[in-house]
Amino acid sequence: MAQQPIPPDLGQKAYAAYREATGGRTHDGRFMPAWEDLGEQIQGAWTAAAVAIHTDALAGGA
């Protein structure tokens, strides 16, 4: 089976979904910044988390 490509905006989509699910608030009630205002390190962390989930899902993980 051919490997599925990882969407380049996967981290951004995950961040947007989390932001929507929480009403745009962090776990301690602060407002979440826009994706563009996060900085490279935090964007990279969101992307790494999303890629890990994506990869696990494609491999048949839970």
Side-chain angles (χ1 to χ4, degrees):
M1 178 188 333
Q3 183 162 351
Q4 297 287 332
I6 296 172
D9 60 348
L10 196 60
Q12 185 174 1
K13 287 180 178 180
Y15 183 77
Y18 181 91
R19 196 171 180 213
E20 179 158 337
T22 64
R25 301 284 186 144
T26 63
H27 73 282
D28 58 358
R30 292 179 291 149
F31 284 105
M32 294 176 68
W35 174 258
E36 297 77 19
D37 297 331
L38 290 177
E40 287 185 31
Q41 183 178 8
I42 300 301
Q43 286 180 359
W46 273 98
T47 299
V51 167
I53 293 167
H54 178 77
T55 301
D56 189 55
L58 290 177

